[in-house]
Amino acid sequence: MQTNRLYILFIAFASLVSYSSSFSQEKDSIASLPSLDKDFTITNDSIPQNVSVENDTLAKSDSIPAKKEAIQFIIEHAAEDYIHEDVINKRVKLYNQAHVVYDEYDIVSGQMLIDYQTNTVVAKGIPDEDGKYSQLPVFKTKANETTQDSLIFNYKTKKAIIYGLETEQDGINTLGEKTKRVNDSTIFVRNIIFTTSDPRNPDYYLKTTKAKVVPGKKIITGPTNLVLADVPTPLIFPFAYFPLTKKRTSGIIFPTYGESYNQGFFLQNGGYYLAISDYFDLKLTADIYSNSSWGFNAASSYKVRYKFSGQFEFNYDNLITGIEGFSNYSEQKNFNLRWSHSQDSKASPNNRFTASVNLGSSQYFRQSVNESNTGNALNNTLSSSISYYKKFVGTPFNMTLGATHRQNTNTQIVTATLPSLQLNMDRLQPFAPKSGTAKNALQKIGLNYSFKAENRVEALEDEFFSGAILDKAKNGAQHNVSLSTNMKVLKYFSLSPNLTYREVWYTKKINKEYDPVAEEIVTDTLSGFNAFRDYSTSASLSTTVYGMYGFKGKKLKAIRHTMRPSISYSYKPDFGFYYDEIQRNAEGETQTYSQFEGGIYGQPSTGITNAVSFSLANSLEAKVADPESLEGEDKKINLLNSLNLSTAYNFAAESFKLSNFNLTAGTTLFKKMNINMGATLDPYDLDENGRRVDRMSYKNGGPLVRLTSARFSTGYSFSSKDFDKKKNGQKTEEETTPLDQDMFGQNLSNTNDFQHEEESDEAGAKKEKDKNLPQYVSSMPWNIRFSYSTNYTNSNGNGRVTGNSLTVSGDVELSPGWKVGASSGYDFVNNGITYTNLRFSRDLSSWSMNFNWVPLGNNSSYYFFIGVKSSVLSDLKWDKRNVNRDF
């Protein structure tokens, strides 16, 4: 009976459980492990596997109570060359791809020895002729997977001795000479180094003689020395603490320091991070300056999967300039609020809520000296939009409730709608057939309806944020109804008649009276429901004309000219009956006014509108032979994307019946160079004072039309990729990135917020390509982008160029990891250099260095940063910044 029990116990041998990993140089400690010599006779594995103690029927009939066995689970084991069971010495040897699975533990090694007398497991690799080991032990659990040179593990006490430790915890690579595993939650290591770079050839590492590792929680070390390129530095820490977690945890955010010309020395973006829950967090930071200035920042991110996500940020600055009591002393209090919210499309298809808010003091970004606001100093507009959309299922109606805000930081004028309501009805075709498509004009008649109501405010910034806007608020509602259809005329023309009706409601109106005592007009605002109505009709006739000119050449086959002329007629009656007549001066002269002046939806129109408008759109294409086409097909090339002309003539107008001619043109050259032009041509003449008069220009000896304004803009970008493609005989693809993107460089992130970014596929492919080059050789990719624009005005006969500037930006990678960039431009009108930015960066895989310099203007500053890229060791850095701002 007892022999039988020992036999079964031998069959279900001990489990292998260990935590740690290693993959480093072979150490002498491997030779000291128990011998796993394979010079013994290979026998067939006659011992059945996968036997469990619970299946031992003999044990159940034993009158002596069975002791609790060390092995409680089914064991699976295998090896590629052999499995040898030494019954006498109670050992099991496995060689070549030895594999053992016990419960949740999985071990693969070159060779393993299980000694169930000492309750130990020895695992190590297989040496080759040069003494190098392969098939090093790999230990897997549900939580992680590790590799080590060798190990001795006691499966009963769960303790282990590990030689040549190498493991990775939250981006930190740990290498230790000898490791003692006490239990599942405590590991002691001697002669250990920590690094975030390649552990076999680290750029840097932190070296210590002893450390305690609590997997998934923390690493605590004794005295630690920073080593750069295997050269010890004088920087020695008395201890080090590395938090390890896969979840968000709260903690201190260390500030960055620097110097400002006006505020002196400062500490920025220091504070505390709160991991409140899995759905949202909160970051509280502050800025302090040596001249008593200060700033406060609060930021939060939130996300509920499959429902919504967003970010919120509030910033407040109290900046002091000069010395109190002197004339140059000033105190600026600015704030900024930003909020973005988006709803998952799968959350609710018939309801949608979105928000994009950016409001605050107009001078916040211009006066802020916080490093994260440098790139926003050039913005002159702040805008916000919040909207809620709802589709009423089963009806043709949908609703949008929203609020908007627009703020000009130069004029400090704020315009906002608080709130606005839009109700729309889908197009209805009451005469359309119940099945099939509408064919004739009657069946195509469509009815549209929309309702809009809003409360609009326009005020200066100080008034807007003080609550005084309630007195300046304007509100109203507008109904729009339209009937339209279309039909074919003379086979090639499309006729589209339209009839519109509008009704406007206001809650206020004005009343004007002449005060004979003060000899002026007095205006009163009266509350109450007021409304006016108007209507109009129109019809447009359009067609498309094609012209083709063929060539007999082998390359150029044909040129096609496409014209889309359109002529429309509109009529609107006179609604002057909504106007009142009052006296305007003591002489008894009168004037008319509308009670709806200043309304957000306008006022009734006076005079009859009886106008004809004309527009002509042109495009030009060429058909050329494609030598790369195997089927011999031709390809199309756009020669002229658009050339459009439009004007109108109002028969009922008392003067200036002919409108200005508007001319626009655009094309693309070399597949990347966009050219856009525009001009306004006035057919009327000017008098000697430069005022426009109702007289045709050509009748006074002038040109047929006068050029009153013109604009021209172009941009182009090219890079080393274009030349590489041409060299390889590939097609140069059209650039899809906007030409003005990153013309002034990218915004800087907070240096104490530095996180490792995921590498793109393109960047990874480039690194792989550069690996094949010598260390001193680089593929040196580069790119250059430029943009040019000019504007001309000549409304009163004194023509002048109001804008004329050229902007250039480019980047070049001098060698793998070294990148240099610059952005600048020149204003030919003001004869000055525009915003200039110089950029230098060095990527050392585990380290990163950045230098960003704005040498000119009120925004002149520089930022220098060098530090570890890993977020865990982000405080291992040195940075320096200087800001020079003149308010």
Side-chain angles (χ1 to χ4, degrees):
M1 175 77 69
Q2 189 66 24
T3 304
N4 216 3
R5 291 175 58 82
L6 291 175
Y7 179 75
I8 296 175
L9 179 62
F10 167 73
I11 297 173
F13 57 88
S15 65
L16 303 176
V17 182
S18 103
Y19 176 88
S20 71
S21 70
S22 92
F23 188 84
S24 58
Q25 299 178 355
E26 292 74 12
K27 299 187 172 49
D28 295 336
S29 58
I30 299 179
S32 64
L33 293 175
S35 175
L36 301 181
D37 187 14
K38 68 173 182 175
D39 294 331
F40 53 85
T41 305
I42 301 176
T43 61
N44 294 329
D45 189 2
S46 59
I47 303 175
Q49 301 181 23
N50 302 332
V51 179
S52 174
V53 173
E54 287 76 5
N55 295 330
D56 189 355
T57 57
L58 296 177
K60 292 180 181 179
S61 62
D62 196 343
S63 60
I64 300 175
K67 295 182 180 180
K68 185 177 180 180
E69 303 293 348
I71 303 175
Q72 302 178 10
F73 301 95
I74 297 176
I75 297 174
E76 298 177 5
H77 64 275
E80 186 170 315
D81 280 6
Y82 63 78
I83 301 174
H84 181 268
E85 294 86 9
D86 186 350
V87 178
I88 297 175
N89 296 317
K90 299 180 181 180
R91 292 183 175 182
V92 177
K93 296 179 181 179
L94 302 100
Y95 189 82
N96 193 11
Q97 299 296 335
H99 187 196
V100 172
V101 178
Y102 177 77
D103 189 21
E104 64 175 14
Y105 307 108
D106 189 317
I107 299 177
V108 177
S109 180
Q111 50 184 331
M112 282 191 289
L113 171 67
I114 302 99
D115 190 335
Y116 57 86
Q117 291 188 100
T118 59
N119 301 320
T120 58
V121 176
V122 179
K124 65 179 182 179
I126 299 176
D128 58 13
E129 295 179 354
D130 298 329
K132 294 184 179 181
Y133 284 81
S134 61
Q135 298 187 34
L136 297 179
V138 177
F139 176 69
K140 300 178 182 179
T141 66
K142 291 181 179 180
N144 53 40
E145 176 182 334
T146 60
T147 305
Q148 43 273 322
D149 283 347
S150 57
L151 65 86
I152 303 175
F153 177 68
N154 190 307
Y155 56 80
K156 195 169 186 178
T157 63
K158 309 298 183 181
K159 295 183 180 181
I161 299 295
I162 301 169
Y163 297 93
L165 166 71
E166 179 184 329
T167 185
E168 186 271 335
Q169 288 284 320
D170 289 354
I172 299 179
N173 295 309
T174 305
L175 295 90
E177 181 178 311
K178 185 176 182 180
T179 303
K180 180 179 180 181
R181 183 181 184 275
V182 179
N183 50 46
D184 291 340
S185 60
T186 305
I187 299 174
F188 294 98
V189 190
R190 287 193 177 275
N191 298 327
I192 186 172
I193 67 172
F194 303 96
T195 182
T196 58
S197 64
D198 183 1
R200 288 167 290 181
N201 186 24
D203 301 326
Y204 79 101
Y205 53 87
L206 295 170
K207 184 176 183 181
T208 184
T209 57
K210 57 183 179 180
K212 176 181 178 181
V213 180
V214 180
K217 292 184 178 180
K218 58 188 174 182
I219 299 176
I220 304 174
T221 75
T224 304
N225 181 223
L226 175 63
V227 181
L228 301 178
D230 292 327
V231 178
T233 67
L235 188 59
I236 299 177
F237 306 98
F239 67 93
Y241 176 85
F242 306 101
L244 303 177
T245 178
K246 295 183 178 180
K247 298 181 179 180
R248 289 183 175 180
T249 58
S250 302
I252 297 174
I253 302 174
F254 289 94
T256 60
Y257 67 93
E259 182 182 0
S260 171
Y261 179 80
N262 290 316
Q263 281 71 42
F265 295 98
F266 59 73
L267 294 174
Q268 287 183 354
N269 302 313
Y272 198 80
Y273 175 81
L274 297 169
I276 299 176
S277 72
D278 293 336
Y279 302 106
F280 71 100
D281 60 6
L282 179 62
K283 182 175 70 172
L284 302 174
T285 60
D287 309 332
I288 57 174
Y289 304 83
S290 59
N291 75 333
S292 299
S293 299
W294 58 275
F296 170 77
N297 313 287
S300 177
S301 299
Y302 58 89
K303 181 175 183 179
V304 178
R305 185 175 295 180
Y306 307 124
K307 289 187 177 181
F308 56 82
S309 63
Q311 292 180 329
F312 175 86
E313 184 176 355
F314 176 77
N315 305 288
Y316 184 87
D317 281 349
N318 185 63
L319 301 179
I320 298 174
T321 305
I323 302 176
E324 188 174 3
F326 288 80
S327 59
N328 65 340
Y329 176 83
S330 65
E331 184 175 2
Q332 305 291 337
K333 297 181 179 180
N334 300 315
F335 77 94
N336 180 257
L337 173 66
R338 280 173 282 185
W339 175 39
S340 63
H341 178 93
S342 60
Q343 180 177 307
D344 195 304
S345 59
K346 297 181 289 295
S348 178
N350 299 314
N351 298 274
R352 185 171 59 252
F353 178 78
T354 58
S356 177
V357 177
N358 184 8
L359 63 86
S361 305
S362 296
Q363 300 302 312
Y364 173 78
F365 291 112
R366 297 182 180 181
Q367 296 180 351
S368 174
V369 292
N370 192 292
E371 58 179 329
S372 60
N373 296 325
T374 302
N376 295 319
L378 300 176
N379 295 338
N380 56 14
T381 302
L382 303 179
S383 60
S384 306
S385 175
I386 302 175
S387 66
Y388 171 74
Y389 169 84
K390 181 176 179 58
K391 171 69 175 177
F392 297 98
V393 181
T395 72
F397 294 96
N398 61 79
M399 178 193 71
T400 302
L401 181 65
T404 61
H405 148 266
R406 188 171 183 84
Q407 183 176 352
N408 189 311
T409 58
N410 292 326
T411 62
Q412 298 189 9
I413 295 178
V414 181
T415 303
T417 57
L418 303 167
S420 66
L421 173 65
Q422 181 83 34
L423 180 66
N424 294 315
M425 183 185 73
D426 297 336
R427 180 182 174 89
L428 299 179
Q429 291 182 300
F431 305 107
K434 294 183 179 180
S435 61
T437 59
K439 297 181 179 180
N440 54 53
L442 180 62
Q443 294 177 343
K444 292 180 180 179
I445 290 179
L447 173 65
N448 293 87
Y449 169 77
S450 66
F451 171 79
K452 185 176 182 181
E454 65 181 56
N455 183 64
R456 186 181 301 175
V457 177
E458 182 173 325
L460 292 175
E461 178 182 315
D462 295 338
E463 297 175 332
F464 185 82
F465 295 113
S466 65
I469 59 173
L470 297 177
D471 297 333
K472 292 191 173 185
K474 298 179 180 180
N475 47 65
Q478 178 177 265
H479 302 263
N480 285 288
V481 182
S482 66
L483 281 173
S484 62
T485 186
N486 63 84
M487 64 192 78
K488 285 290 185 179
V489 178
L490 300 178
K491 189 178 180 179
Y492 299 106
F493 295 89
S494 177
L495 178 63
S496 301
N498 182 68
L499 176 65
T500 61
Y501 170 82
R502 183 179 68 142
E503 182 169 331
V504 178
W505 296 345
Y506 288 136
T507 59
K508 295 179 181 179
K509 69 176 182 179
I510 63 172
N511 182 59
K512 293 184 178 182
E513 292 183 355
Y514 178 74
D515 186 351
V517 178
E519 295 185 352
E520 63 180 15
I521 297 176
V522 179
T523 302
D524 294 327
T525 302
L526 306 177
S527 299
F529 178 79
N530 302 277
F532 73 86
R533 303 156 189 85
D534 58 22
Y535 54 88
S536 63
T537 183
S538 64
S540 63
L541 186 67
S542 61
T543 188
T544 302
V545 180
Y546 297 96
M548 183 78 72
Y549 187 83
F551 294 89
K552 297 181 179 180
K554 295 183 179 180
K555 188 172 184 180
L556 180 61
K557 299 297 184 65
I559 292 180
R560 186 176 74 171
H561 178 207
T562 304
M563 295 187 299
R564 293 181 174 85
S566 175
I567 185 170
S568 62
Y569 171 78
S570 62
Y571 175 82
K572 190 174 185 179
D574 183 8
F575 294 94
F577 53 85
Y578 283 109
Y579 287 72
D580 297 325
E581 186 176 3
I582 62 167
Q583 182 180 343
R584 69 173 184 176
N585 53 34
E587 286 74 22
E589 296 179 353
T590 61
Q591 70 176 40
T592 59
Y593 79 97
S594 172
Q595 297 178 347
F596 307 101
E597 281 184 11
I600 58 176
Y601 298 118
Q603 60 193 45
S605 60
T606 58
I608 299 175
T609 300
N610 187 19
V612 174
S613 58
F614 172 80
S615 65
L616 177 63
N618 298 268
S619 63
L620 209 60
E621 295 176 312
K623 182 182 290 188
V624 298
D626 188 358
E628 299 180 4
S629 176
L630 299 178
E631 294 79 9
E633 296 181 354
D634 298 331
K635 64 178 181 180
K636 296 180 181 179
I637 299 178
N638 289 331
L639 301 179
L640 185 64
N641 294 340
S642 64
L643 176 60
N644 304 328
L645 176 68
S646 64
T647 187
Y649 188 88
N650 188 357
F651 296 96
E654 296 181 359
S655 61
F656 302 105
K657 295 184 177 183
L658 183 62
S659 301
N660 290 339
F661 292 85
N662 295 312
L663 181 66
T664 60
T667 189
T668 302
L669 300 179
F670 314 114
K671 294 186 178 181
K672 287 188 175 184
M673 187 173 184
N674 296 324
I675 298 178
N676 296 287
M677 297 173 286
T680 301
L681 307 172
D682 191 351
Y684 292 96
D685 199 7
L686 300 175
D687 61 12
E688 60 275 5
N689 297 320
R691 291 176 298 186
R692 191 167 181 248
V693 294
D694 189 17
R695 181 180 61 227
M696 291 296 175
S697 175
Y698 73 92
K699 292 184 177 181
N700 196 33
L704 182 63
V705 290
R706 294 184 303 105
L707 179 64
T708 58
S709 66
R711 57 192 180 278
F712 173 85
S713 64
T714 184
Y716 186 72
S717 67
F718 56 99
S719 64
S720 55
K721 294 181 181 179
D722 302 328
F723 296 90
D724 291 340
K725 291 175 181 177
K726 292 179 181 179
K727 187 182 299 184
N728 297 331
Q730 300 178 10
K731 293 183 179 181
T732 303
E733 297 179 0
E734 186 173 352
E735 189 74 28
T736 58
T737 304
L739 295 174
D740 58 349
Q741 181 173 330
D742 297 339
M743 286 298 292
F744 300 104
Q746 297 179 350
N747 291 336
L748 294 178
S749 300
N750 293 344
T751 50
N752 63 344
D753 233 3
F754 195 89
Q755 296 182 356
H756 177 72
E757 297 181 356
E758 295 186 2
E759 186 176 65
S760 64
D761 295 339
E762 184 178 352
K766 180 194 170 301
K767 281 189 176 182
E768 193 66 28
K769 177 182 177 181
D770 287 340
K771 281 183 180 179
N772 301 325
L773 298 174
Q775 291 296 322
Y776 54 86
V777 178
S778 171
S779 54
M780 290 189 68
W782 54 268
N783 64 79
I784 297 177
R785 307 174 295 277
F786 82 86
S787 176
Y788 173 76
S789 64
T790 182
N791 292 280
Y792 172 81
T793 60
N794 185 32
S795 58
N796 56 2
N798 297 324
R800 61 189 182 92
V801 177
T802 56
N804 190 17
S805 62
L806 174 67
T807 304
V808 181
S809 179
D811 296 279
V812 59
E813 188 167 345
L814 301 177
S815 64
W818 268 111
K819 192 173 183 180
V820 179
S823 303
S824 187
Y826 191 81
D827 189 337
F828 297 96
V829 175
N830 298 315
N831 295 323
I833 297 176
T834 60
Y835 181 82
T836 301
N837 175 260
L838 303 177
R839 305 177 295 276
F840 306 88
S841 65
R842 176 69 166 128
D843 188 348
L844 292 173
S845 181
S846 59
W847 287 70
S848 177
M849 182 188 73
N850 296 288
F851 181 67
N852 195 293
W853 183 26
V854 180
L856 305 172
N858 295 333
N859 298 321
S860 61
S861 60
Y862 71 82
Y863 296 135
F864 175 80
F865 168 84
I866 183 171
V868 177
K869 296 171 65 176
S870 172
S871 59
V872 179
L873 297 178
S874 60
D875 293 320
L876 194 61
K877 62 182 175 65
W878 183 77
D879 54 354
K880 175 69 175 177
R881 60 191 54 79
N882 185 285
V883 180
N884 178 20
R885 296 276 182 98
D886 293 325
F887 298 157

